[in-house]
Amino acid sequence: MRQAIFYHAGCPVCVAAEQQFAEALDPARYAVEVVHLGQDARRVAEAEGFGVQSVPALVIDGQAFHINFGAPLSALK
């Protein structure tokens, strides 16, 4: 099973992206973890390590995909 992490900050853009992208992944193929960086700022460094620059972003197998621009990671530190 492949790993996918959906990082977001709870903004309307992020919530809409979560509903469209994270929930669209086949649960038989992807283990999806949703991380609200506004509530768990300790994971901001982890997201940066994957190359995430803004949220919402989806990381699949260690590669970041920026979906839309909701907030820069610097605003979540």
Side-chain angles (χ1 to χ4, degrees), residues 10-26:
C11 65
V13 170
C14 293
V15 172
E18 178 183 352
Q19 292 170 349
Q20 294 296 314
F21 288 90
E23 294 177 9
L25 293 175
D26 181 354

Side-chain angles (χ1 to χ4, degrees), residues 3-9 14 33-38 40-66 71-77:
Q3 180 185 15
I5 306 171
F6 181 80
Y7 293 102
H8 73 96
C14 293
E33 178 184 11
V34 177
V35 178
H36 188 310
L37 293 174
D40 193 357
R42 297 171 297 151
R43 301 210 39 199
V44 171
E46 170 190 306
E48 287 177 318
F50 287 124
V52 173
Q53 298 174 8
S54 64
V55 291
L58 182 64
V59 174
I60 298 177
D61 294 335
Q63 178 161 354
F65 298 92
H66 294 89
L73 283 189
S74 61
L76 300 169
K77 292 182 180 182

